[in-house]
Amino acid sequence: MALRELRLRENVAGDFFVDNTCIDCDLCRQIAPDTFSSFGDQSIVYRQPETPQQQFAALKALVTCPTASIGTEKHHSAREAVAAYPELVDGNVYFCGFASESSYGASSYLIVRPEGNVLVDSPRFASPLVKRIDEMGGVRTMFLTHRDDVADHEKWAGRFNAERIIHRDDATRSLASIEHLISGRDAVELDKELLAIPTPGHTRGHTVLLYRNRFLFSGDHLWWSEAYDALNASRSVCWYSWPEQTRSMERLLDYRFEWVLPGHGRRVHLSSSLMREQLEACVSRMKRLSRAAS
Ligand code: SF4
């Protein structure tokens, strides 16, 4: 729980506040934009929730915050906010909330399917979320986009006897025991609806997951940037190779999708033609950046 004595000075006066342990993961600003905003490299409360809907959103942000940096002066029951997760995104795809500090507050998602649910990247192993996912059919497969967003994967896989999938190039020592290692640069059809597409760049073994040619679970390869109002990737968080990431981005032009659901950054839903335009513009920007640097 956030500590009153660590409350950031920049918070507006009142009930909800952020303390100085915030790691700037952005999730509270996505979940409750009427309450939280950015200040430097942290979040603050810029306006206290006024309506029941705003308070509910602020409590969902509190539940999701990976570092428990959001607090309240008054007592609130978070029961309903806890029960809100997994939260429907579209169709049978859910956002898990309950982010983990060890994956720097990355978003994770659940695909609910009769043939077995898929957990994309790892949320915090929090008992209310575990119980709810169990009620929704458990987890058959855990798809890990890359080595940074694996958080509590061992606990999730152990609890549900799930098969984990990651690219061999990201299977560092602690991930070497993962059940299914993808190799090479070619896309791998996991089943008729799920395609794993290696996208080296952010990390050497980064891989995105395309579901039903509609949902792209993009990890830290690609996201919607609020600042640029565009699909984006960032050289500053490219740990392996920017030229490789640019080539990986260009290969994504071979596919159609309407949703980009990232680990970090904003989600976006566009028509597949608009998404393609956005992707082409993103590739062009990445190439320009490469040329400017050479
Ligand atoms: S969710 Fe928590 S860690 Fe993330 S930006 Fe908000 S206060 Fe900071």
Side-chain angles (χ1 to χ4, degrees):
M1 189 64 183
L3 296 175
R4 199 174 285 137
E5 54 271 33
L6 301 181
R7 178 179 178 131
L8 290 167
R9 270 202 312 272
E10 293 79 9
N11 288 289
V12 74
D15 187 12
F16 280 79
F17 65 90
V18 177
D19 77 14
N20 69 9
T21 61
C22 167
I23 57 169
D24 198 25
C25 77
D26 185 46
L27 282 173
C28 59
R29 307 190 296 260
Q30 295 184 37
I31 296 166
D34 291 335
T35 300
F36 300 96
S37 65
S38 179
F39 189 91
D41 57 3
Q42 292 185 308
S43 282
I44 57 162
V45 172
Y46 75 99
R47 189 166 60 197
Q48 292 295 336
E50 287 167 7
T51 66
Q53 292 81 3
Q54 288 171 348
Q55 182 163 301
F56 183 52
L59 287 170
K60 284 197 301 175
L62 183 152
V63 164
T64 294
C65 178
T67 45
S69 304
I70 299 172
T72 57
E73 297 288 347
K74 298 180 201 156
H75 173 73
H76 296 271
S77 168
R79 202 156 52 93
E80 284 182 34
V82 165
Y85 293 114
E87 181 180 61
L88 188 64
V89 175
D90 190 11
N92 53 343
V93 171
Y94 294 76
F95 167 57
C96 292
F98 289 90
S100 169
E101 185 173 8
S102 62
S103 59
Y104 207 77
S107 294
S108 55
Y109 304 92
L110 182 72
I111 311 172
V112 176
R113 319 191 300 166
E115 58 271 56
N117 296 345
V118 182
L119 188 56
V120 182
D121 288 330
S122 175
R124 207 183 322 146
F125 191 76
S127 46
L129 184 66
V130 176
K131 184 167 178 285
R132 185 71 194 109
I133 288 181
D134 195 14
E135 289 163 359
M136 293 169 79
V139 179
R140 181 172 172 190
T141 306
M142 258 193 109
F143 185 86
L144 301 168
T145 56
H146 65 298
R147 65 185 183 206
D148 302 334
D149 292 353
V150 297
D152 292 331
H153 69 100
E154 281 175 315
K155 290 179 183 169
W156 285 103
R159 170 67 179 75
F160 290 108
N161 198 22
E163 180 192 51
R164 291 163 294 173
I165 303 173
I166 196 167
H167 197 284
R168 186 178 295 279
D169 289 343
D170 264 22
T172 49
R173 196 184 304 174
S174 64
L175 301 172
S177 62
I178 279 183
E179 295 76 22
H180 183 162
L181 297 178
I182 290 171
S183 300
R185 295 286 192 263
D186 293 337
V188 176
E189 195 176 281
L190 301 174
D191 61 33
K192 284 191 168 62
E193 297 184 324
L194 291 167
L195 188 70
I197 308 169
T199 47
H202 174 74
T203 59
R204 189 182 171 118
H206 193 291
T207 304
V208 300
L209 182 67
L210 181 62
Y211 172 55
R212 287 185 172 167
N213 293 317
R214 182 150 188 253
F215 299 91
L216 186 78
F217 298 93
S218 58
D220 290 352
H221 177 66
L222 176 69
W223 58 89
W224 185 261
S225 160
E226 228 200 347
Y228 297 121
D229 200 28
L231 274 186
N232 197 40
S234 172
R235 198 171 181 146
S236 66
V237 291
C238 176
W239 313 132
Y240 171 58
S241 163
W242 185 249
E244 277 274 17
Q245 190 164 348
T246 306
R247 283 192 285 277
S248 296
M249 202 68 81
E250 199 160 21
R251 281 198 298 274
L252 279 185
L253 289 167
D254 293 342
Y255 303 96
R256 293 284 171 274
F257 46 90
E258 297 171 12
W259 275 98
V260 167
L261 298 168
H264 293 106
R266 301 289 168 110
R267 315 172 199 159
V268 67
H269 183 205
L270 300 170
S271 67
S272 55
S273 54
L274 273 179
M275 192 67 87
R276 185 182 171 84
E277 281 176 27
Q278 281 286 334
L279 194 57
E280 284 170 346
C282 179
V283 171
S284 298
R285 272 196 310 280
M286 292 175 81
K287 286 182 173 175
R288 273 202 305 277
L289 255 178
S290 294
R291 281 196 296 273
S294 62

PDB file of all heavy atoms in Angstrom, residues 266-293:
ATOM      1  N   ARG A 266       0.367   2.197 -25.267  1.00  0.00           N
ATOM      2  CA  ARG A 266      -1.088   2.164 -25.371  1.00  0.00           C
ATOM      3  C   ARG A 266      -1.560   1.118 -26.366  1.00  0.00           C
ATOM      4  O   ARG A 266      -0.884   0.835 -27.346  1.00  0.00           O
ATOM      5  CB  ARG A 266      -1.592   3.543 -25.802  1.00  0.00           C
ATOM      6  CG  ARG A 266      -1.203   4.664 -24.839  1.00  0.00           C
ATOM      7  CD  ARG A 266      -1.981   4.561 -23.564  1.00  0.00           C
ATOM      8  NE  ARG A 266      -1.468   5.417 -22.516  1.00  0.00           N
ATOM      9  CZ  ARG A 266      -2.099   6.512 -22.050  1.00  0.00           C
ATOM     10  NH1 ARG A 266      -3.234   6.889 -22.583  1.00  0.00           N
ATOM     11  NH2 ARG A 266      -1.580   7.198 -21.053  1.00  0.00           N
ATOM     12  N   ARG A 267      -2.761   0.590 -26.108  1.00  0.00           N
ATOM     13  CA  ARG A 267      -3.404  -0.299 -27.082  1.00  0.00           C
ATOM     14  C   ARG A 267      -4.072   0.558 -28.143  1.00  0.00           C
ATOM     15  O   ARG A 267      -4.420   1.699 -27.892  1.00  0.00           O
ATOM     16  CB  ARG A 267      -4.553  -1.074 -26.467  1.00  0.00           C
ATOM     17  CG  ARG A 267      -4.343  -1.685 -25.179  1.00  0.00           C
ATOM     18  CD  ARG A 267      -5.703  -2.220 -24.682  1.00  0.00           C
ATOM     19  NE  ARG A 267      -5.610  -2.403 -23.258  1.00  0.00           N
ATOM     20  CZ  ARG A 267      -6.649  -2.468 -22.438  1.00  0.00           C
ATOM     21  NH1 ARG A 267      -7.874  -2.376 -22.898  1.00  0.00           N
ATOM     22  NH2 ARG A 267      -6.474  -2.638 -21.159  1.00  0.00           N
ATOM     23  N   VAL A 268      -4.348  -0.057 -29.293  1.00  0.00           N
ATOM     24  CA  VAL A 268      -5.100   0.665 -30.314  1.00  0.00           C
ATOM     25  C   VAL A 268      -5.933  -0.310 -31.139  1.00  0.00           C
ATOM     26  O   VAL A 268      -5.524  -1.450 -31.370  1.00  0.00           O
ATOM     27  CB  VAL A 268      -4.167   1.514 -31.217  1.00  0.00           C
ATOM     28  CG1 VAL A 268      -3.259   0.647 -32.068  1.00  0.00           C
ATOM     29  CG2 VAL A 268      -4.961   2.474 -32.083  1.00  0.00           C
ATOM     30  N   HIS A 269      -7.100   0.174 -31.556  1.00  0.00           N
ATOM     31  CA  HIS A 269      -7.996  -0.585 -32.426  1.00  0.00           C
ATOM     32  C   HIS A 269      -8.303   0.273 -33.646  1.00  0.00           C
ATOM     33  O   HIS A 269      -8.834   1.382 -33.513  1.00  0.00           O
ATOM     34  CB  HIS A 269      -9.292  -0.908 -31.671  1.00  0.00           C
ATOM     35  CG  HIS A 269     -10.247  -1.731 -32.453  1.00  0.00           C
ATOM     36  ND1 HIS A 269     -11.602  -1.728 -32.235  1.00  0.00           N
ATOM     37  CD2 HIS A 269     -10.044  -2.602 -33.474  1.00  0.00           C
ATOM     38  CE1 HIS A 269     -12.198  -2.546 -33.068  1.00  0.00           C
ATOM     39  NE2 HIS A 269     -11.267  -3.101 -33.833  1.00  0.00           N
ATOM     40  N   LEU A 270      -7.933  -0.212 -34.825  1.00  0.00           N
ATOM     41  CA  LEU A 270      -8.162   0.513 -36.082  1.00  0.00           C
ATOM     42  C   LEU A 270      -8.670  -0.484 -37.113  1.00  0.00           C
ATOM     43  O   LEU A 270      -8.517  -1.703 -36.929  1.00  0.00           O
ATOM     44  CB  LEU A 270      -6.852   1.124 -36.602  1.00  0.00           C
ATOM     45  CG  LEU A 270      -6.118   2.135 -35.711  1.00  0.00           C
ATOM     46  CD1 LEU A 270      -4.735   2.418 -36.285  1.00  0.00           C
ATOM     47  CD2 LEU A 270      -6.912   3.426 -35.601  1.00  0.00           C
ATOM     48  N   SER A 271      -9.193   0.008 -38.201  1.00  0.00           N
ATOM     49  CA  SER A 271      -9.489  -0.915 -39.303  1.00  0.00           C
ATOM     50  C   SER A 271      -8.157  -1.483 -39.795  1.00  0.00           C
ATOM     51  O   SER A 271      -7.105  -0.844 -39.623  1.00  0.00           O
ATOM     52  CB  SER A 271     -10.194  -0.173 -40.437  1.00  0.00           C
ATOM     53  OG  SER A 271      -9.285   0.746 -41.020  1.00  0.00           O
ATOM     54  N   SER A 272      -8.210  -2.650 -40.447  1.00  0.00           N
ATOM     55  CA  SER A 272      -6.937  -3.255 -40.870  1.00  0.00           C
ATOM     56  C   SER A 272      -6.240  -2.366 -41.909  1.00  0.00           C
ATOM     57  O   SER A 272      -5.008  -2.319 -41.950  1.00  0.00           O
ATOM     58  CB  SER A 272      -7.146  -4.672 -41.403  1.00  0.00           C
ATOM     59  OG  SER A 272      -8.089  -4.659 -42.433  1.00  0.00           O
ATOM     60  N   SER A 273      -7.014  -1.623 -42.718  1.00  0.00           N
ATOM     61  CA  SER A 273      -6.344  -0.762 -43.711  1.00  0.00           C
ATOM     62  C   SER A 273      -5.659   0.421 -43.028  1.00  0.00           C
ATOM     63  O   SER A 273      -4.527   0.778 -43.368  1.00  0.00           O
ATOM     64  CB  SER A 273      -7.330  -0.288 -44.777  1.00  0.00           C
ATOM     65  OG  SER A 273      -8.430   0.331 -44.171  1.00  0.00           O
ATOM     66  N   LEU A 274      -6.329   1.015 -42.031  1.00  0.00           N
ATOM     67  CA  LEU A 274      -5.681   2.112 -41.307  1.00  0.00           C
ATOM     68  C   LEU A 274      -4.472   1.612 -40.521  1.00  0.00           C
ATOM     69  O   LEU A 274      -3.452   2.305 -40.408  1.00  0.00           O
ATOM     70  CB  LEU A 274      -6.667   2.758 -40.330  1.00  0.00           C
ATOM     71  CG  LEU A 274      -7.547   3.867 -40.895  1.00  0.00           C
ATOM     72  CD1 LEU A 274      -8.485   4.405 -39.826  1.00  0.00           C
ATOM     73  CD2 LEU A 274      -6.688   5.004 -41.451  1.00  0.00           C
ATOM     74  N   MET A 275      -4.607   0.400 -39.978  1.00  0.00           N
ATOM     75  CA  MET A 275      -3.481  -0.164 -39.229  1.00  0.00           C
ATOM     76  C   MET A 275      -2.277  -0.341 -40.152  1.00  0.00           C
ATOM     77  O   MET A 275      -1.138  -0.051 -39.775  1.00  0.00           O
ATOM     78  CB  MET A 275      -3.895  -1.505 -38.613  1.00  0.00           C
ATOM     79  CG  MET A 275      -2.917  -2.050 -37.595  1.00  0.00           C
ATOM     80  SD  MET A 275      -2.828  -1.050 -36.098  1.00  0.00           S
ATOM     81  CE  MET A 275      -4.139  -1.750 -35.103  1.00  0.00           C
ATOM     82  N   ARG A 276      -2.536  -0.802 -41.365  1.00  0.00           N
ATOM     83  CA  ARG A 276      -1.437  -0.977 -42.316  1.00  0.00           C
ATOM     84  C   ARG A 276      -0.786   0.374 -42.628  1.00  0.00           C
ATOM     85  O   ARG A 276       0.445   0.476 -42.667  1.00  0.00           O
ATOM     86  CB  ARG A 276      -1.954  -1.634 -43.600  1.00  0.00           C
ATOM     87  CG  ARG A 276      -0.817  -1.927 -44.557  1.00  0.00           C
ATOM     88  CD  ARG A 276      -1.260  -2.527 -45.860  1.00  0.00           C
ATOM     89  NE  ARG A 276      -0.119  -2.560 -46.742  1.00  0.00           N
ATOM     90  CZ  ARG A 276       0.805  -3.521 -46.768  1.00  0.00           C
ATOM     91  NH1 ARG A 276       0.715  -4.526 -45.928  1.00  0.00           N
ATOM     92  NH2 ARG A 276       1.824  -3.475 -47.592  1.00  0.00           N
ATOM     93  N   GLU A 277      -1.593   1.399 -42.846  1.00  0.00           N
ATOM     94  CA  GLU A 277      -1.032   2.740 -43.101  1.00  0.00           C
ATOM     95  C   GLU A 277      -0.150   3.176 -41.940  1.00  0.00           C
ATOM     96  O   GLU A 277       0.939   3.725 -42.114  1.00  0.00           O
ATOM     97  CB  GLU A 277      -2.158   3.774 -43.276  1.00  0.00           C
ATOM     98  CG  GLU A 277      -2.810   3.749 -44.625  1.00  0.00           C
ATOM     99  CD  GLU A 277      -3.988   4.726 -44.693  1.00  0.00           C
ATOM    100  OE1 GLU A 277      -3.994   5.730 -43.956  1.00  0.00           O
ATOM    101  OE2 GLU A 277      -4.904   4.452 -45.490  1.00  0.00           O
ATOM    102  N   GLN A 278      -0.650   2.948 -40.733  1.00  0.00           N
ATOM    103  CA  GLN A 278       0.120   3.314 -39.535  1.00  0.00           C
ATOM    104  C   GLN A 278       1.444   2.541 -39.467  1.00  0.00           C
ATOM    105  O   GLN A 278       2.487   3.089 -39.124  1.00  0.00           O
ATOM    106  CB  GLN A 278      -0.699   3.018 -38.275  1.00  0.00           C
ATOM    107  CG  GLN A 278      -1.736   4.058 -37.976  1.00  0.00           C
ATOM    108  CD  GLN A 278      -1.108   5.347 -37.432  1.00  0.00           C
ATOM    109  OE1 GLN A 278      -0.030   5.339 -36.843  1.00  0.00           O
ATOM    110  NE2 GLN A 278      -1.783   6.459 -37.649  1.00  0.00           N
ATOM    111  N   LEU A 279       1.354   1.263 -39.821  1.00  0.00           N
ATOM    112  CA  LEU A 279       2.553   0.421 -39.752  1.00  0.00           C
ATOM    113  C   LEU A 279       3.575   0.874 -40.800  1.00  0.00           C
ATOM    114  O   LEU A 279       4.782   0.948 -40.523  1.00  0.00           O
ATOM    115  CB  LEU A 279       2.151  -1.044 -39.960  1.00  0.00           C
ATOM    116  CG  LEU A 279       3.176  -2.098 -39.606  1.00  0.00           C
ATOM    117  CD1 LEU A 279       3.641  -1.982 -38.159  1.00  0.00           C
ATOM    118  CD2 LEU A 279       2.602  -3.498 -39.843  1.00  0.00           C
ATOM    119  N   GLU A 280       3.082   1.196 -41.988  1.00  0.00           N
ATOM    120  CA  GLU A 280       4.000   1.687 -43.035  1.00  0.00           C
ATOM    121  C   GLU A 280       4.687   2.976 -42.574  1.00  0.00           C
ATOM    122  O   GLU A 280       5.898   3.146 -42.768  1.00  0.00           O
ATOM    123  CB  GLU A 280       3.213   1.956 -44.330  1.00  0.00           C
ATOM    124  CG  GLU A 280       2.860   0.690 -45.078  1.00  0.00           C
ATOM    125  CD  GLU A 280       1.878   0.931 -46.228  1.00  0.00           C
ATOM    126  OE1 GLU A 280       1.260   2.015 -46.287  1.00  0.00           O
ATOM    127  OE2 GLU A 280       1.713   0.014 -47.044  1.00  0.00           O
ATOM    128  N   ALA A 281       3.914   3.869 -41.963  1.00  0.00           N
ATOM    129  CA  ALA A 281       4.500   5.136 -41.486  1.00  0.00           C
ATOM    130  C   ALA A 281       5.527   4.868 -40.394  1.00  0.00           C
ATOM    131  O   ALA A 281       6.580   5.516 -40.336  1.00  0.00           O
ATOM    132  CB  ALA A 281       3.392   6.049 -40.969  1.00  0.00           C
ATOM    133  N   CYS A 282       5.225   3.898 -39.542  1.00  0.00           N
ATOM    134  CA  CYS A 282       6.157   3.549 -38.458  1.00  0.00           C
ATOM    135  C   CYS A 282       7.475   3.014 -39.034  1.00  0.00           C
ATOM    136  O   CYS A 282       8.559   3.410 -38.608  1.00  0.00           O
ATOM    137  CB  CYS A 282       5.491   2.519 -37.538  1.00  0.00           C
ATOM    138  SG  CYS A 282       6.523   1.964 -36.189  1.00  0.00           S
ATOM    139  N   VAL A 283       7.364   2.125 -40.041  1.00  0.00           N
ATOM    140  CA  VAL A 283       8.577   1.579 -40.683  1.00  0.00           C
ATOM    141  C   VAL A 283       9.384   2.711 -41.312  1.00  0.00           C
ATOM    142  O   VAL A 283      10.621   2.767 -41.168  1.00  0.00           O
ATOM    143  CB  VAL A 283       8.195   0.512 -41.746  1.00  0.00           C
ATOM    144  CG1 VAL A 283       9.407   0.101 -42.572  1.00  0.00           C
ATOM    145  CG2 VAL A 283       7.569  -0.708 -41.084  1.00  0.00           C
ATOM    146  N   SER A 284       8.702   3.647 -41.975  1.00  0.00           N
ATOM    147  CA  SER A 284       9.421   4.771 -42.616  1.00  0.00           C
ATOM    148  C   SER A 284      10.161   5.600 -41.568  1.00  0.00           C
ATOM    149  O   SER A 284      11.318   5.981 -41.771  1.00  0.00           O
ATOM    150  CB  SER A 284       8.442   5.687 -43.357  1.00  0.00           C
ATOM    151  OG  SER A 284       7.807   4.974 -44.357  1.00  0.00           O
ATOM    152  N   ARG A 285       9.486   5.877 -40.451  1.00  0.00           N
ATOM    153  CA  ARG A 285      10.145   6.663 -39.391  1.00  0.00           C
ATOM    154  C   ARG A 285      11.365   5.926 -38.851  1.00  0.00           C
ATOM    155  O   ARG A 285      12.415   6.511 -38.617  1.00  0.00           O
ATOM    156  CB  ARG A 285       9.178   6.940 -38.241  1.00  0.00           C
ATOM    157  CG  ARG A 285       8.333   8.185 -38.400  1.00  0.00           C
ATOM    158  CD  ARG A 285       7.714   8.599 -37.084  1.00  0.00           C
ATOM    159  NE  ARG A 285       7.027   7.523 -36.389  1.00  0.00           N
ATOM    160  CZ  ARG A 285       5.796   7.096 -36.677  1.00  0.00           C
ATOM    161  NH1 ARG A 285       5.107   7.676 -37.631  1.00  0.00           N
ATOM    162  NH2 ARG A 285       5.257   6.116 -36.009  1.00  0.00           N
ATOM    163  N   MET A 286      11.216   4.616 -38.673  1.00  0.00           N
ATOM    164  CA  MET A 286      12.337   3.826 -38.136  1.00  0.00           C
ATOM    165  C   MET A 286      13.521   3.865 -39.100  1.00  0.00           C
ATOM    166  O   MET A 286      14.672   3.995 -38.687  1.00  0.00           O
ATOM    167  CB  MET A 286      11.891   2.379 -37.888  1.00  0.00           C
ATOM    168  CG  MET A 286      10.891   2.247 -36.752  1.00  0.00           C
ATOM    169  SD  MET A 286      10.263   0.565 -36.562  1.00  0.00           S
ATOM    170  CE  MET A 286      11.605  -0.207 -35.641  1.00  0.00           C
ATOM    171  N   LYS A 287      13.230   3.771 -40.406  1.00  0.00           N
ATOM    172  CA  LYS A 287      14.317   3.800 -41.405  1.00  0.00           C
ATOM    173  C   LYS A 287      14.986   5.175 -41.410  1.00  0.00           C
ATOM    174  O   LYS A 287      16.218   5.277 -41.515  1.00  0.00           O
ATOM    175  CB  LYS A 287      13.770   3.467 -42.794  1.00  0.00           C
ATOM    176  CG  LYS A 287      13.448   1.990 -42.956  1.00  0.00           C
ATOM    177  CD  LYS A 287      12.950   1.720 -44.359  1.00  0.00           C
ATOM    178  CE  LYS A 287      12.783   0.217 -44.588  1.00  0.00           C
ATOM    179  NZ  LYS A 287      12.194  -0.082 -45.888  1.00  0.00           N
ATOM    180  N   ARG A 288      14.167   6.230 -41.301  1.00  0.00           N
ATOM    181  CA  ARG A 288      14.740   7.590 -41.265  1.00  0.00           C
ATOM    182  C   ARG A 288      15.666   7.740 -40.064  1.00  0.00           C
ATOM    183  O   ARG A 288      16.759   8.289 -40.162  1.00  0.00           O
ATOM    184  CB  ARG A 288      13.618   8.636 -41.179  1.00  0.00           C
ATOM    185  CG  ARG A 288      13.069   9.067 -42.536  1.00  0.00           C
ATOM    186  CD  ARG A 288      12.391  10.418 -42.460  1.00  0.00           C
ATOM    187  NE  ARG A 288      11.347  10.495 -41.461  1.00  0.00           N
ATOM    188  CZ  ARG A 288      10.085  10.087 -41.635  1.00  0.00           C
ATOM    189  NH1 ARG A 288       9.732   9.553 -42.791  1.00  0.00           N
ATOM    190  NH2 ARG A 288       9.198  10.199 -40.673  1.00  0.00           N
ATOM    191  N   LEU A 289      15.216   7.215 -38.936  1.00  0.00           N
ATOM    192  CA  LEU A 289      16.044   7.312 -37.717  1.00  0.00           C
ATOM    193  C   LEU A 289      17.367   6.584 -37.916  1.00  0.00           C
ATOM    194  O   LEU A 289      18.425   7.065 -37.490  1.00  0.00           O
ATOM    195  CB  LEU A 289      15.301   6.642 -36.552  1.00  0.00           C
ATOM    196  CG  LEU A 289      14.649   7.524 -35.503  1.00  0.00           C
ATOM    197  CD1 LEU A 289      13.939   6.666 -34.478  1.00  0.00           C
ATOM    198  CD2 LEU A 289      15.708   8.388 -34.810  1.00  0.00           C
ATOM    199  N   SER A 290      17.299   5.419 -38.576  1.00  0.00           N
ATOM    200  CA  SER A 290      18.532   4.643 -38.824  1.00  0.00           C
ATOM    201  C   SER A 290      19.473   5.418 -39.724  1.00  0.00           C
ATOM    202  O   SER A 290      20.677   5.477 -39.475  1.00  0.00           O
ATOM    203  CB  SER A 290      18.205   3.306 -39.482  1.00  0.00           C
ATOM    204  OG  SER A 290      17.478   2.494 -38.600  1.00  0.00           O
ATOM    205  N   ARG A 291      18.897   6.031 -40.791  1.00  0.00           N
ATOM    206  CA  ARG A 291      19.748   6.788 -41.723  1.00  0.00           C
ATOM    207  C   ARG A 291      20.373   7.984 -41.018  1.00  0.00           C
ATOM    208  O   ARG A 291      21.558   8.264 -41.192  1.00  0.00           O
ATOM    209  CB  ARG A 291      18.921   7.269 -42.925  1.00  0.00           C
ATOM    210  CG  ARG A 291      18.676   6.191 -43.968  1.00  0.00           C
ATOM    211  CD  ARG A 291      18.215   6.781 -45.278  1.00  0.00           C
ATOM    212  NE  ARG A 291      16.935   7.454 -45.158  1.00  0.00           N
ATOM    213  CZ  ARG A 291      15.740   6.848 -45.289  1.00  0.00           C
ATOM    214  NH1 ARG A 291      15.680   5.562 -45.554  1.00  0.00           N
ATOM    215  NH2 ARG A 291      14.623   7.534 -45.151  1.00  0.00           N
ATOM    216  N   ALA A 292      19.586   8.658 -40.184  1.00  0.00           N
ATOM    217  CA  ALA A 292      20.091   9.850 -39.492  1.00  0.00           C
ATOM    218  C   ALA A 292      21.243   9.481 -38.563  1.00  0.00           C
ATOM    219  O   ALA A 292      22.161  10.277 -38.339  1.00  0.00           O
ATOM    220  CB  ALA A 292      18.974  10.506 -38.700  1.00  0.00           C
ATOM    221  N   ALA A 293      21.192   8.267 -38.035  1.00  0.00           N
ATOM    222  CA  ALA A 293      22.224   7.855 -37.086  1.00  0.00           C
ATOM    223  C   ALA A 293      23.481   7.346 -37.767  1.00  0.00           C
ATOM    224  O   ALA A 293      24.535   7.225 -37.151  1.00  0.00           O
ATOM    225  CB  ALA A 293      21.671   6.763 -36.169  1.00  0.00           C
TER     226      ALA A 293
END
